[in-house]
């Protein structure tokens, strides 16, 4: 299986900066460079969508300088006219800094769809919040006594995207940390120790090979 839709938890940016004797904020600049390389390489591997965990609902607990460094990295990417990808967002954009919120709203309005890859950026995102949000939308819009899975999924913020085939987490932790909870029901999970700024094309290739091997083992019964 070559994943069409890959999720990435880009963990280890702060630790990478500390290991290089740099302020943690520098880790997010390095993380953005790694992301740009991975987007370009994913295009050559026929991946259609990357959903990346850029800012979780829990990340508000971090010091302001760190929060700002993450938002600055996202802002600089989203404002660059040289992007080779379409961009979409999932999560609650309401509490973001004004400039980033406006940029995100504008990108959503003018959504380009003819690019080679879609970068779906999870900002102020939490899987549980997304599920609860879907329930609230259902409660306020319909008086249903029963609902099926596909109708429920249509209320999630990623309802327009195909299901996520695989999720990679860098940085050594082995958990989903509230990322794509509903969508990951059948996803392959891959955990690597590499800190995100060090993640590169050869490591992605190794993972794609491993995914192919894993799914071949099940004789095409991939769900
Ligand atoms: C976790 O690493 C990662 C984040 C909180 C955010 C990562 C965001 C970027 C790399 C910028 C993304 C840019 C775009 C355009 C999507 P951590 O710093 O918590 O790692 P640690 O465990 O080493 O502290």
């Amino acid at each position: 299986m070559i994943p069409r839709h890959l999720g990435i938890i880009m963990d280890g940016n702060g630790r990478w900066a500390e290991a290089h004797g740099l302020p943690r904020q520098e880790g997010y600049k390095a993380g953005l460079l790694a992301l740009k390389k991975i987007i370009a390489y994913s295009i050559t591997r026929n991946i259609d969508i990357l959903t990346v965990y850029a800012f979780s609902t829990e990340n508000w607990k971090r010091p302001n300088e760190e929060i700002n460094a993450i938002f600055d990295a996202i802002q600089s990417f989203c404002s660059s006219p040289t992007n080779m990808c379409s961009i979409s967002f999932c999560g609650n954009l309401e509490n973001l800094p004004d400039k980033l919120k406006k940029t995100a709203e504008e990108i959503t309005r003018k959504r380009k769809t003819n690019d080679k890859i879609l970068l779906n950026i999870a900002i102020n995102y939490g899987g549980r919040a997304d599920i609860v949000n879907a329930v609230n939308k259902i409660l306020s819009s319909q008086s249903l006594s029963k609902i099926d899975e596909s109708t429920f999924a249509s209320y999630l913020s990623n309802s327009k995207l195909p299901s996520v085939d695989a999720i990679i987490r860098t940085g050594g932790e082995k958990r989903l940390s509230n990322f794509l909870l509903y969508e990951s029901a059948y996803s392959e999970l891959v955990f690597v120790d590499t800190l995100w700024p060090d993640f590169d094309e050869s490591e992605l290739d190794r993972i794609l090979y491993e995914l192919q091997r894993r799914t071949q083992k099940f004789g095409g019964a991939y769900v």
Side-chain angles (χ1 to χ4, degrees):
M1 178 259 291
I2 288 281
R4 265 192 78 196
H5 181 180
L6 188 62
I8 308 182
I9 302 176
M10 307 177 289
D11 200 9
N13 303 282
R15 277 170 286 160
W16 179 92
E18 283 162 14
H20 287 77
L22 297 166
R24 283 176 60 86
Q25 294 92 289
E26 292 299 316
Y28 304 107
K29 290 189 194 155
L32 177 58
L33 293 179
L35 177 60
K36 287 181 179 170
K37 273 196 294 187
I38 292 304
I39 296 170
Y41 193 65
S42 296
I43 294 172
T44 72
R45 302 313 313 267
N46 295 323
I47 293 169
D48 296 332
I49 303 164
L50 291 176
T51 293
V52 293
Y53 209 3
F55 192 85
S56 76
T57 45
E58 280 71 45
N59 287 152
W60 291 111
K61 294 181 200 139
R62 300 200 174 195
N64 273 342
E65 312 84 73
E66 213 171 301
I67 294 177
N68 291 337
I70 298 170
F71 288 154
D72 284 350
I74 302 170
Q75 179 75 54
S76 104
F77 183 85
C78 291
S79 310
S80 157
T82 58
N83 283 330
M84 63 302 218
C85 59
S86 304
I87 300 174
S88 62
F89 300 91
C90 57
N92 180 1
L93 303 181
E94 273 315 303
N95 309 325
L96 300 183
D98 276 351
K99 189 169 175 214
L100 182 55
K101 192 174 148 197
K102 281 207 184 92
T103 305
E105 284 168 352
E106 197 171 336
I107 288 174
T108 307
R109 219 177 21 250
K110 294 188 187 156
R111 166 114 185 248
K112 303 187 286 165
T113 49
N114 54 351
D115 280 303
K116 297 192 175 75
I117 194 163
L118 170 68
L119 182 73
N120 182 37
I121 307 177
I123 313 184
N124 197 14
Y125 174 87
R128 285 185 179 176
D130 205 47
I131 291 169
V132 171
N133 203 24
V135 172
N136 282 323
K137 280 196 242 166
I138 294 163
L139 288 174
S140 65
S141 71
Q142 309 196 16
S143 50
L144 296 171
S145 55
K146 231 178 172 184
I147 190 164
D148 61 22
E149 288 181 13
S150 69
T151 309
F152 181 80
S154 73
Y155 286 87
L156 295 170
S157 53
N158 289 316
S159 63
K160 303 230 162 48
L161 304 183
S163 55
V164 62
D165 299 305
I167 295 177
I168 300 172
R169 181 176 187 148
T170 60
E173 307 291 349
K174 295 183 176 61
R175 51 177 183 266
L176 285 177
S177 299
N178 210 10
F179 185 52
L180 303 179
L181 292 187
Y182 193 90
E183 296 89 332
S184 63
Y186 293 103
S187 309
E188 293 289 334
L189 303 179
V190 181
F191 300 100
V192 295
D193 289 335
T194 311
L195 304 174
W196 173 249
D198 291 328
F199 190 84
D200 63 7
E201 295 90 337
S202 63
E203 188 144 25
L204 178 57
D205 249 349
R206 190 189 58 69
I207 291 171
L208 293 177
Y209 178 74
E210 149 94 16
L211 289 173
Q212 228 159 354
R213 232 176 34 90
R214 277 195 209 177
T215 47
Q216 267 163 10
K217 261 202 249 165
F218 294 107
Y222 171 65
V223 279

